Amino acid sequence: MNKLYFGSNLKMYKTVADTVAYLRELAQRTADIDRKEVQLFILPSYTALESAAANTDQACIKLGAQNMCWEDQGQFTGEISPVMLEEFGIRFVMIGHSERRHVFGEADTEENKKVRHALKHSFTTLLCIGETAEEKEFGISTEVLRTQLKIGLYGVDVKDAANLWVAYEPVWSIGVNGIPASVDYAESMHYEIKKCLREIFGEAADEIPVLYGGSVNLGNANDLIVQPSVDGLYVGRAAWQAEQFERLIRNAKAAYEEKRKTAD
Ligand code: PGA
């Protein structure tokens, strides 16, 4: 994969004004980075999406929603549908973030309904997967990831693989109490994920970017991005200040280019 992916989920942190200011600064700071080489993306809160879209060139920073419902409309109090996202010019959604699964109790079967519906709308669809600390302890990480992929992507047509992204975010590595995965561990899980995607989609799987997330920071980003099965970095806390995120992206890109040069 020639393009590197860098993105951030803003979770429930920034207000509308904060989000717009952040996006403006990030766009400005990264303006010179070739978007053929780097896909930059940000997922603001629902309430900030309209203003974010009105103030952002999505050719430079792709905007997405942090979740959505599996129906266009109906008796789903508190939910947001793809039709509503499209109204704001949003055609990208994340499904199954660890906090959706573990704080709000979403199951793989629900993620599957959402993934299929997002793809039906031709949204870029980012499915997040990851094992808990307990599952890792039991030595079933690969089985868990395979289950999340096989159920989450059940019934997805191979032609829709082009709109699919996957993020590997081990639950134990996410957030303030998270421990970043070692580079070797992350690479081995990414390898298994890519293998499973190939089983599901055949050659079309080679176009699905697999991103690593969970306590990515300035100290580990370079080592992660140079791994053969890591196509991008999905960053939380270390991305929420534009200046810091810019630095992380530039450093990681340089490390990746250096590695390619030595490999040639
Ligand atoms: P973190 O969050 O980088 O703050 O650990 C990652 C995520 O939830 O995507």
Side-chain angles (χ1 to χ4, degrees):
M1 208 157 286
N2 292 321
K3 214 183 218 184
L4 296 178
Y5 292 71
F6 294 98
S8 185
N9 161 21
L10 303 183
K11 306 194 180 182
M12 196 180 72
Y13 281 101
K14 292 187 190 293
T15 62
V16 178
D18 292 344
T19 304
V20 170
Y22 168 78
L23 286 166
R24 283 208 179 117
E25 188 184 343
L26 190 62
Q28 206 181 6
R29 286 182 173 277
T30 59
D32 65 308
I33 298 177
D34 187 347
R35 271 18 187 212
K36 285 196 282 302
E37 294 173 2
V38 166
Q39 170 73 67
L40 188 53
F41 65 97
I42 298 293
L43 278 61
S45 300
Y46 283 139
T47 53
L49 282 175
E50 184 173 18
S51 303
N55 285 282
T56 307
D57 174 3
Q58 292 207 47
C60 293
I61 303 178
K62 192 174 173 73
L63 297 172
Q66 297 174 15
N67 182 25
M68 64 160 232
C69 187
W70 57 76
E71 292 285 346
D72 283 350
Q73 59 174 35
Q75 300 175 102
F76 297 100
T77 303
E79 290 291 309
I80 304 280
S81 92
V83 176
M84 295 164 184
L85 296 174
E86 278 173 326
E87 262 190 311
F88 289 167
I90 303 297
R91 304 187 46 77
F92 170 33
V93 68
M94 165 170 66
I95 304 295
H97 184 271
S98 160
E99 288 148 21
R100 296 303 318 168
R101 292 174 186 268
H102 299 285
V103 182
F104 298 100
E106 289 182 11
D108 284 319
T109 46
E110 289 170 88
E111 314 307 8
N112 178 242
K113 287 200 275 185
K114 294 180 188 197
V115 164
R116 286 162 67 154
H117 200 60
L119 290 170
K120 197 167 130 196
H121 279 262
S122 302
F123 278 21
T124 301
T125 305
L126 169 59
L127 175 66
C128 298
I129 58 171
E131 82 285 5
T132 63
E134 197 181 31
E135 288 160 343
K136 179 171 183 275
E137 177 63 28
F138 285 139
I140 56 167
S141 302
T142 305
E143 288 87 337
V144 170
L145 298 178
R146 288 178 62 83
T147 302
Q148 290 175 344
L149 287 172
K150 292 238 164 159
I151 300 178
L153 301 175
Y154 178 76
V156 169
D157 198 290
V158 69
K159 72 170 176 13
D160 289 327
N163 285 329
L164 203 59
W165 301 1
V166 170
Y168 169 57
E169 300 201 292
V171 180
W172 46 270
S173 77
I174 295 175
V176 278
N177 298 317
I179 305 154
S182 74
V183 167
D184 289 346
Y185 185 80
E187 168 57 25
S188 65
M189 292 302 120
H190 276 241
Y191 181 84
E192 294 295 338
I193 291 166
K194 283 183 179 274
K195 201 164 93 185
C196 184
L197 288 171
R198 242 192 178 253
E199 278 171 38
I200 301 172
F201 295 115
E203 274 178 15
D206 298 349
E207 300 309 313
I208 301 174
V210 182
L211 283 46
Y212 173 79
S215 293
V216 174
N217 57 52
L218 273 165
N220 61 16
N222 295 9
D223 292 337
L224 285 161
I225 199 72
V226 298
Q227 299 307 309
S229 311
V230 175
D231 303 310
L233 300 175
Y234 196 23
V235 192
R237 289 154 296 153
W240 297 339
Q241 282 180 347
E243 189 268 334
Q244 209 186 332
F245 195 25
E246 176 205 357
R247 208 144 30 102
L248 188 150
I249 294 166
R250 286 190 194 279
N251 289 357
K253 184 171 181 286
Y256 177 80
E257 280 159 6
E258 188 55 37
K259 192 202 151 200
R260 284 197 102 175
K261 234 191 291 162
T262 3
D264 286 344

